Amino acid sequence: MPTPHDLPVLVADIGGTHARFALTQPGASRPDEPMVLMTALYPTLEAALDTFLEQAGHPALGGAALCAAGPVQGTGDECYIAMTNLPWVVSARAVTAATGCPRISIVNDFTAAALSLPHLDADDLVQIGGATADDDAPRGILGPGTGLGVSGLIPDGRGGFVPLSGEGGHVSLAPGNEREISLLFQLMQTHGHVSAERVLCGPGMEELYGALGALDGSPEIGRPTAADIARMAADDSSPLAREVVEVFTGLLGSVAGDLALTLGARGGIYLAGGILPRWGDILNHRLLRYRFEAKGRFKPYLAEIPIYLITVRDIALIGLTALARRS
């Protein structure tokens, strides 16, 4: 009779645009190639999960761990996430009914991403400035995608780490120069409160494009997507798109510096999400680093902290694998 350790575990990362489902085989620390489904094509998590399980041949499972964009509510078998950017509810009870697994782990998507950090290799990272990370110190992670995810890892005093589960992407955005002050005022006219996530995500790039154009009194025609803006910035066909990328980079560096100060993240700040790895050379490392360190008296403190750009895909699934095996 096989034990749970002899069976694959199900891991799933449910984002606002895509849901990624995968199996991790016994003894493996990384999952098989995931199946990626567009969430807009499925009314519920259960419908998408049924599609994956059917394609996988309805395997016996040793465990299951899922993450989604939103805060975890409830405990035990009653825990769930009512997603922030998608009308889905990710619940332990529904996953148990679909898979037969009695114990389901459900965490915030960036809690799962944080859990992956001890399992990343040097080849999975590009260091952007700073010194050598302190492996025993807290680490922070944030990443712009459909939204802005934020989390961290805190030493537990026993050689391990405890992940944070919060909603740090919704902190108030702080401008760092006159242009950004004007931008903040412009956005406040529409939104009232302006969070970091309001601009530091895919839809936020589109928001920046419209707001910066309006500030100059000459908004460009059309409403390009985030991918269009990045492409126009890369080929230098639009000064406005280029400014969007620069403003985005500067604000991201500032928010990353705030996270480093809040956590005391001498173990490093890690940048994830679906946007930055695709940017290539238009990500201005010097500007990112400058704004990260531009915290007055604490510039020398931040100058020692490395920033890492995560280049490997599906880090949440790597973190969920560790969680499922531990559970």
Side-chain angles (χ1 to χ4, degrees):
M1 176 73 100
T3 69
H5 292 287
D6 300 321
L7 297 171
V9 297
L10 168 71
V11 290
D13 176 14
I14 314 300
T17 306
H18 296 99
R20 291 171 166 80
F21 298 93
L23 298 177
T24 303
Q25 302 304 321
S29 61
R30 299 200 177 192
D32 298 339
E33 185 69 21
M35 174 184 285
V36 182
L37 302 178
M38 291 188 63
T39 55
L41 300 180
Y42 297 88
T44 63
L45 167 67
E46 295 91 311
L49 182 54
D50 284 344
T51 295
F52 171 74
L53 292 173
E54 183 176 355
Q55 290 291 321
H58 292 283
L61 298 171
L66 295 86
C67 67
V72 179
Q73 303 180 63
T75 59
D77 294 340
E78 300 301 323
C79 75
Y80 67 95
I81 294 176
M83 294 186 64
T84 305
N85 296 311
L86 181 73
W88 282 15
V89 176
V90 179
S91 75
R93 187 177 293 279
V95 176
T96 294
T99 64
C101 291
R103 293 178 63 84
I104 308 297
S105 297
I106 293 179
V107 295
N108 174 267
D109 57 345
F110 262 74
T111 302
L115 286 166
S116 77
L117 299 183
H119 305 283
L120 299 182
D121 301 324
D123 291 344
D124 300 327
L125 307 167
V126 173
Q127 185 169 346
I128 303 175
T132 302
D134 180 349
D135 290 338
D136 297 321
R139 309 173 195 185
I141 182 170
L142 71 163
T146 304
L148 177 66
V150 179
S151 186
L153 282 181
I154 307 300
D156 64 6
R158 300 186 299 274
F161 289 87
V162 176
L164 298 177
S165 181
E167 290 295 323
H170 297 280
V171 300
S172 298
L173 187 70
N177 52 49
E178 289 186 9
R179 181 67 163 172
E180 290 174 6
I181 290 172
S182 298
L183 172 66
L184 178 63
F185 184 76
Q186 175 75 20
L187 292 171
M188 287 174 65
Q189 306 313 300
T190 303
H191 302 292
H193 176 252
V194 180
S195 68
E197 183 178 85
R198 178 64 65 185
V199 297
L200 295 178
C201 61
M205 288 182 66
E206 299 161 17
E207 189 87 35
L208 283 174
Y209 188 90
L212 289 169
L215 278 179
D216 294 332
S218 56
E220 295 193 13
I221 297 173
R223 186 76 172 182
T225 66
D228 292 333
I229 294 167
R231 176 186 50 76
M232 291 188 295
D235 63 25
D236 225 7
S237 62
S238 166
L240 179 53
R242 191 74 197 184
E243 185 183 13
V244 168
V245 169
E246 291 294 297
V247 170
F248 188 104
T249 300
L251 289 170
L252 179 65
S254 184
V255 172
D258 289 344
L259 180 62
L261 290 174
T262 299
L263 298 181
R266 291 178 292 106
I269 291 291
Y270 293 76
L271 301 179
I275 293 176
L276 301 181
R278 299 191 183 103
W279 272 15
D281 292 341
I282 67 170
L283 177 61
N284 186 333
H285 290 194
R286 292 184 65 182
L287 173 60
L288 180 76
R289 191 75 219 182
Y290 171 77
R291 289 294 296 272
F292 177 79
E293 297 177 11
K295 303 295 181 184
R297 293 172 293 170
F298 272 78
K299 183 182 190 308
Y301 177 89
L302 289 166
E304 296 295 311
I305 296 177
I307 298 173
Y308 297 105
L309 175 63
I310 299 173
T311 58
V312 68
R313 296 173 57 193
D314 298 319
I315 59 168
L317 298 183
I318 297 173
L320 290 170
T321 293
L323 178 62
R325 291 298 184 195
R326 186 174 69 189
S327 298

